[in-house]
Amino acid sequence: MKDLPNSGNRLKDSNDDGGNGVGGHMRIEVLGVGEAFDPEFCNSSVVVSAGGYRLMIDCGASVMAPLLKRYPDPDAIDGIYFTHMHPDHVFGLVPVLLNWRDDGRSKPLDIVVTEQLRGHLEKLMAIGFEGLGSAWPFEIVWHLTSDTPQIGPFQTWFALSNHSVRNHAILLQHDGGSFAYSGDGNVTPDTIALFARADLVFQETYLPAPDPAHAAHCDLETVREMAADMPGARFWLYHIKRDYRSRIIDLVRDDPQLRVAIPGEIIEIRQG
């Protein structure tokens, strides 16, 4: 485990295999970092843990394999937050739920979404469960973002990004530590204000520079401008367009504030 430079709380990069944040700190485990069609990296997703509670953020089409490899216990994940309704963020939900059912999950599952996204997911689940039985040994508990100031041990805030569909970034705070996850989309005044309160920001960084053809995605130049106004925060970049991943890695190699997220890594946010 090594310290990562930060002017406020300490960030630690860890290869530690244990824990679900049972202490007074947050743990962020990276399951996937890829964009929708990346052949080498599975869809972007993380698991945030604290106080014995595990919250998964997004569950795309290719996320089930790393999720089950890391967490074979069907009761390991307590809740899922979905940033938006695109296949690389939600299409893993049905196979994951079916696997948990078949493996004997009994714990209720919290799902945090917008009202619109709940409707989409319920349709997706109805199609996916067709002909596969209706006996569910665990309850799904829906939480709307508009009415969810807290999920598990985390205080929660949400902000709308600029994307092709409604995408809400999320800020989680626990015991003095704070973590933000952008989901997809370019930054807005609301997401910038949200990120300014975070120790660590996972920011979608699709391109090296702005491109009008991809205005609904963020880019490295924009992230650097934003980070310059937030010297106390660190930015992990993910959901990078596969053609530009190597280039962006090179561009941030010597940047003390930015780095590219790596599948399987665990980051801990500790006070002071």
Side-chain angles (χ1 to χ4, degrees), residues 133-149:
S134 58
W136 283 89
F138 63 91
E139 179 185 7
I140 295 176
V141 182
W142 297 93
H143 304 264
L144 299 183
T145 55
S146 57
D147 302 319
T148 306

Side-chain angles (χ1 to χ4, degrees), residues 202-239:
F202 265 57
Q203 174 61 54
E204 183 238 22
T205 309
Y206 196 62
L207 300 167
D211 181 349
H214 297 287
H217 286 286
C218 199
D219 62 88
L220 181 58
E221 288 186 9
T222 298
V223 175
R224 277 191 158 144
E225 291 176 6
M226 177 171 58
D229 293 329
M230 304 177 194
R234 295 290 305 281
F235 289 78
W236 259 241
L237 315 181
Y238 75 101
H239 199 277

Side-chain angles (χ1 to χ4, degrees), residues 42-265:
C42 78
N43 298 149
S44 297
S45 178
V46 299
V47 175
V48 187
S49 307
Y53 188 97
R54 294 189 181 103
L55 177 69
M56 183 178 180
I57 301 181
D58 285 339
C59 186
S62 60
V63 169
M64 188 168 78
L67 172 66
L68 298 184
K69 183 177 180 180
R70 174 62 182 173
Y71 296 109
D73 180 355
D75 283 326
I77 301 298
D78 296 281
I80 307 176
Y81 171 64
F82 290 99
T83 58
H84 67 292
M85 182 64 185
H86 271 161
D88 56 320
H89 297 263
V90 304
F91 271 22
L93 176 62
V94 169
V96 164
L97 290 180
L98 289 169
N99 179 82
W100 285 343
R101 181 191 69 174
D102 291 351
D103 284 355
R105 182 183 177 102
S106 59
K107 180 190 292 186
L109 176 68
D110 297 317
I111 297 183
V112 185
V113 288
T114 63
E115 185 172 9
Q116 179 188 48
L117 185 48
R118 174 179 176 174
H120 291 321
L121 291 179
E122 288 179 326
K123 292 176 184 176
L124 184 65
M125 292 161 64
I127 294 170
F129 299 156
E130 181 72 25
L132 296 175
S134 58
W136 283 89
F138 63 91
E139 179 185 7
I140 295 176
V141 182
W142 297 93
H143 304 264
L144 299 183
T145 55
S146 57
D147 302 319
T148 306
Q150 183 163 341
I151 184 71
F154 304 109
Q155 291 181 282
T156 58
W157 292 266
F158 307 91
L160 191 65
S161 73
N162 177 16
H163 195 42
S164 55
V165 299
R166 293 178 66 84
N167 173 94
H168 285 83
I170 185 171
L171 175 70
L172 301 171
Q173 290 188 347
H174 172 72
D175 197 31
S178 54
F179 170 71
Y181 190 91
S182 70
D184 285 3
N186 218 329
V187 299
T188 64
D190 286 344
T191 60
I192 291 172
L194 195 77
F195 300 156
R197 299 162 59 190
D199 298 303
L200 175 62
V201 180
F202 265 57
Q203 174 61 54
E204 183 238 22
T205 309
Y206 196 62
L207 300 167
D211 181 349
H214 297 287
H217 286 286
C218 199
D219 62 88
L220 181 58
E221 288 186 9
T222 298
V223 175
R224 277 191 158 144
E225 291 176 6
M226 177 171 58
D229 293 329
M230 304 177 194
R234 295 290 305 281
F235 289 78
W236 259 241
L237 315 181
Y238 75 101
H239 199 277
I240 297 169
K241 194 174 191 306
R242 56 195 181 278
D243 301 338
Y244 294 109
R245 183 176 180 84
S246 295
R247 181 177 170 189
I248 288 179
I249 289 173
D250 287 340
L251 288 171
V252 302
R253 192 178 305 279
D254 298 320
D255 192 319
Q257 198 175 3
L258 277 61
R259 60 171 285 182
V260 172
I262 302 170
E265 70 178 333

